[in-house]
Amino acid sequence: QVQLVESGGGLVQAGGSLRLSCAASGLTFSSHAMAWFRQAPGEERQFVATINWTGAFTYYANSVKGRFTISRDNAENTVYLQMNSLKPEDTAVYYCAAGRISGVPAGEYGYWGQGTQVTVSS
C-alpha cells in the first residue's frame, strides 16, 4: 500500500515561514516525480510545485514563484516545501502527490497524501 504522509503545517503570521514534509512509503520513491497541491475552502485544488525524480527539474505556480522551494531527499523518501514570505491567500490544505511524470495537472499523479492545514493570519 502506497502511503504519503504530510506534516509541518500550522498557523503563522503573514511574512512568516513554514516547511512542509511528505514522507513516502510503499513505492520506489527515487523513480517518482513529486508535487504539492493546495485547496482552499470552496475552491478547486490548484497546482503549487513539482520536482522530477532526480531533483534536477522543478516548476512552480506563478503565485508562489520566488517564495516557495520544493526539494527532495531520496535517501529519506521525503519531499519538502519550504514556504517563505507567507501571505493570507496561501491559507489552504496542502497535499503532496506522487506520479510518473512531473506535470501540472492533478490527474497525472496517482498517489496522494491526506493533507496538512496551513493558515496564514493577517
Side-chain angles (χ1 to χ4, degrees):
Q1 178 83 279
V2 173
Q3 189 172 20
L4 305 177
V5 180
E6 301 99 330
S7 62
L11 173 64
V12 298
Q13 292 184 328
S17 298
L18 283 174
R19 188 173 79 155
L20 306 183
S21 299
C22 176
S25 62
L27 79 168
T28 306
F29 181 80
S30 61
S31 296
H32 282 76
M34 301 294 295
W36 289 94
F37 290 77
R38 66 187 184 186
Q39 188 169 21
E43 302 293 330
E44 298 294 321
R45 187 170 299 186
Q46 63 177 201
F47 170 81
V48 175
T50 189
I51 185 167
N52 79 326
W53 70 278
T54 68
F57 169 83
T58 59
Y59 183 76
Y60 299 89
N62 288 335
S63 59
V64 306
K65 191 175 300 181
R67 299 188 297 120
F68 292 9
T69 302
I70 188 171
S71 62
R72 66 190 298 160
D73 186 341
N74 287 349
E76 296 291 334
N77 290 352
T78 302
V79 63
Y80 303 95
L81 185 69
Q82 178 66 47
M83 305 185 294
N84 299 326
S85 302
L86 283 162
K87 305 174 181 179
E89 51 263 45
D90 295 319
T91 295
V93 176
Y94 283 70
Y95 299 89
C96 66
R100 285 173 283 189
I101 59 173
S102 55
V104 172
E108 295 182 359
Y109 297 87
Y111 304 104
W112 295 83
Q114 82 290 347
T116 185
Q117 177 70 48
V118 172
T119 303
V120 184
S121 62
S122 301

